[in-house]
Amino acid sequence: MALSNVLEIPTSGFNFENVARNVALEGLLEGGQTKTPKPMKTGTTIAGLVCKEGVVLGADTRATSGEVVADKMCAKIHYISPNIYCCGAGTAADTEKTTDLLSSNLTIFSMNSGRNPRVVMAVNILQDMLFRYRGQIGASLILGGVDCNGNHLYTVGPYGSIDNVPYLAMGSGDLAALGILEDRFKPNMEMEEAKELVRDAIHSGIMSDLGSGNNIDICVITKQGVDYIRPYQESEYKDKRQKRYKYGPGTTSILTEKIVPLELEVVQETVQRMDTA
Amino acid sequence: MAAYMSAGRSANAFSTHDFVPEWAQEEVSTGTTIMAVEFDGGVVIGADSRTTTGAYIANRVTDKLTPIHDHIFCCRSGSAADTQAVADAVTYQLGFHSIELDEPPLVQTAANLFQQMCYRYREELMAGIIVAGWDKRRGGQVYTVPMGGMIVRQPVSVGGSGSSYIYGFMDSNYKPGMTKEECLHFCTQALALAMERDGSSGGVARLAAITEEGLERRVVLGHQLPKFSNT
């Protein structure tokens, strides 16, 4: 039987060792020296919709850590398999690792069974995993893909609930994006119109939400293949670097130089032939 | 249940300086109105279509009527994740059981599988389920499995947050011996009343009739729902 979790069978029960460790660390550092690093959240706008020829996914590219923008060109549309991509909102590390894990499992499954993975499989694996962790993994994902059963778009919540709908938005900017989608979505849209609609939805998220910003990435998945356009649109508010931050040789002056040759002698030499036939 | 809710809240340790608003950190709940009615020859089940995360409607076209087997459905209320997981588990168990028996399963079996799971994990789960279907032995049956894991068979049952508003309507308008069409009409009216009064219920009314012949699904869109108030 081709299992989807082939590398390891998940052990039953929960493992909360790291929670105890975190509490202990917090206690140590509270003395005033340093604070525990804030987890990087994506504070995002992501959206997806199903059109006539496939699925269009869109995302902004800002990752925040507290009030600071940690990454201006973050990639929020993750590769799952050649025909399935996933947008992630929530804690950046959680979405990265969860989608990585899913991608690895599906690759092994593909190799074992000789089939292309189906979107509903990916969704079920995600749901199983997130439900098992009872919401501790802060990942809200939008999965979109094209398989032998058609074009699919699903959302998986952090507690493990699924929704299967023709258009979606998630993340902190989802209300703004959903407004645009609710207004202009029609079933079986043409590809260009669909891309423009997703772009507009993400754009409205960027304009109306502090946690979203910078560029817009679009990923178009069709039966023929995937077009990952990164960036689809660059932000108008780009700053130019004032200086170069690379320092050439000679910036720091050398005062003295001392060369000590290492005395090495060959103790033993073995030659092993490789069979390359 | 209190322990379960607070565990869910404190799990979110990153709540300061968040760009994710409070309501988005809540768990997705179906906050619902569901109901089921027996008639001679089958059952009629109905549900609204709203799923909420706090005050935000995460999905306004949810399908809360989940098939467990060919002639057995369940109506889900409570936490979306919990009910989907339990329904999936029971679907698997019932399917396996049916193949072993080489016979369509009984509605009572399905209901008991739900009850076993909901009772065993009663502290961790938040799931109120109505199991309804048709089988050859006893015809149309409705079993309600509320939170906590009780099981009781009733001719008509309502559940979810919106059910509080329609107990009176249900008690005064249900008559034994209704036909399928009368049951569908009764359900539509009850759901419309609940959706009008309960903030966590709304969207469209989804109905299904399960008989020996099979399944018949209906959707009553928002503007087609019966109106009761004159204002």
Side-chain angles (χ1 to χ4, degrees), chain A residues 18-273:
Chain A
N18 281 337
V19 176
R21 179 207 73 173
N22 288 347
V23 169
L25 272 179
E26 194 97 17
L28 278 178
L29 300 172
E30 206 141 83
Q33 273 85 358
T34 30
K35 301 210 94 147
T36 47
K38 286 205 100 55
M40 188 167 89
K41 299 208 69 163
T42 46
T44 279
T45 308
I46 50 176
L49 63 79
V50 176
C51 61
K52 191 162 72 178
E53 292 153 33
V55 177
V56 181
L57 299 172
D60 73 305
T61 59
R62 173 180 291 183
T64 48
S65 176
E67 298 93 41
V68 178
V69 175
D71 191 351
K72 290 187 278 213
M73 198 49 183
C74 168
K76 301 184 190 179
I77 306 184
H78 309 280
Y79 166 86
I80 303 291
S81 78
N83 58 328
I84 306 174
Y85 275 71
C86 177
C87 307
T91 311
D94 288 344
T95 57
E96 275 288 332
K97 276 301 159 196
T98 307
T99 48
D100 253 355
L101 205 57
L102 176 66
S103 174
S104 310
N105 270 325
L106 284 181
T107 312
I108 296 182
F109 165 79
S110 290
M111 289 199 245
N112 275 343
S113 65
R115 295 170 191 258
N116 257 340
R118 302 193 192 175
V119 185
V120 73
M121 244 194 100
V123 168
N124 280 325
I125 296 173
L126 276 176
Q127 180 185 43
D128 275 346
M129 180 185 159
L130 291 175
F131 182 73
R132 228 179 331 126
Y133 283 93
R134 310 297 282 153
Q136 303 277 0
I137 296 185
S140 307
L141 305 164
I142 294 186
L143 250 129
V146 176
D147 59 26
C148 56
N149 286 337
N151 313 326
H152 304 278
L153 187 70
Y154 285 89
T155 175
V156 187
Y159 285 86
S161 57
I162 317 182
D163 281 313
N164 179 11
V165 272
Y167 59 93
L168 275 172
M170 297 285 268
S172 54
D174 63 353
L175 286 181
L178 209 49
I180 303 287
L181 288 173
E182 287 278 16
D183 185 34
R184 285 159 44 189
F185 175 81
K186 289 181 293 296
N188 290 326
M189 285 170 79
E190 294 297 330
M191 182 54 70
E192 282 313 311
E193 204 187 339
K195 276 159 59 175
E196 271 312 297
L197 180 54
V198 174
R199 184 223 80 90
D200 287 346
I202 305 291
H203 179 77
S204 111
I206 289 175
M207 287 294 132
S208 312
D209 174 46
L210 293 179
S212 313
N214 301 97
N215 308 333
I216 299 178
D217 290 346
I218 297 267
C219 181
V220 181
I221 311 169
T222 56
K223 243 194 169 68
Q224 286 75 36
V226 174
D227 192 12
Y228 192 157
I229 314 167
R230 175 174 157 81
Y232 183 76
Q233 181 186 295
E234 293 204 319
S235 158
E236 309 130 39
Y237 307 101
K238 272 175 20 150
D239 44 15
K240 262 177 48 171
R241 286 244 153 88
Q242 304 294 332
K243 281 183 165 177
R244 289 194 68 232
Y245 293 100
K246 280 200 163 0
Y247 299 99
T251 309
T252 313
S253 46
I254 299 177
L255 299 176
T256 50
E257 201 173 302
K258 178 173 170 187
I259 302 177
V260 177
L262 288 172
E263 305 268 331
L264 296 171
E265 62 180 79
V266 179
V267 174
Q268 189 190 42
E269 188 177 315
T270 46
V271 176
Q272 185 164 51
R273 282 234 157 75

